[in-house]
Amino acid sequence: QSRGTIVVADGSGTKVPVTSSGDELALIAQRIPTAVVIAAENRFEGALLAQEQYGADVVLLDDGFQHRRLHRDVDIVLVDAATLDPSNALIPCGTLREPLTNLHRADILCAIGVEREAVARYAADDVPVVEAYIRIRRWRTLDGVPTIPPVGDVVAVCAIANPQRFARSLRADAGVNVADMLVWRDHHWYTRSDAERIIETARRLGTCSIVTTEKDAIKLAAFAEQFARAACVVRVAVAQLEFRSDDGEVLHLRLSNFLGR
């Protein structure tokens, strides 16, 4: 909800509330406490601040492929099933920001949950295509304490771009039964009434187990006491991107070449 350029974290901890940073940058600052994290409407100004005030020599941009004003040394584009869906279209009719043919500009393509060959057809010559998977590897509470995995029926809660991928991961990685799933639009700001709806859904299904993503937990943490009073246990799925060993080496080597280190 902020404007201009905001220093979310300066390498020694988060400096602003999630309402100023947004959910994704707050999560990055939480996961990587030593990182300098900046929210900037003008990416060039944000990168300049990172360099001049904090001595940054590497700047990572989220959704930077279309940002032509700021030079990039390397473009990495993640491609999933939704990207390749023939029914998908350019914004505002679909979710694509550019035609698929523009993927030839990428320096590295990463296939997420789709076959490498389906992505490689859009790559320029000599551009590597690596495969990666998003896996749930551990669980924590809303306040960050490690906890045991859920068992049995759960109510899944999320406001992310691909809720069905989260549901599939819950079944495949955690082996839980998603009795119901409450989905809001990506980046939704949860309210007290939303929390009450989640609680009532869990009660109706006869379960006290609620699961959510790290991105959602950033905002749902404000209602931790409300969930506790209702005897609802909220577990947060901690997911990570995993590469096959050879693909990880290819990615590391290519990035080292681009960055000269």
Side-chain angles (χ1 to χ4, degrees), residues 31 133-140 147 149 169 172-174 214 236-243:
R31 287 280 294 261
Y133 306 89
I134 298 174
R135 297 283 188 261
I136 297 173
R137 289 308 184 200
R138 59 187 187 279
W139 295 86
R140 64 171 178 83
T147 188
S169 293
D173 301 337
E214 285 188 288
V236 182
V238 180
Q240 64 186 49
L241 196 65
E242 297 182 353
F243 297 89

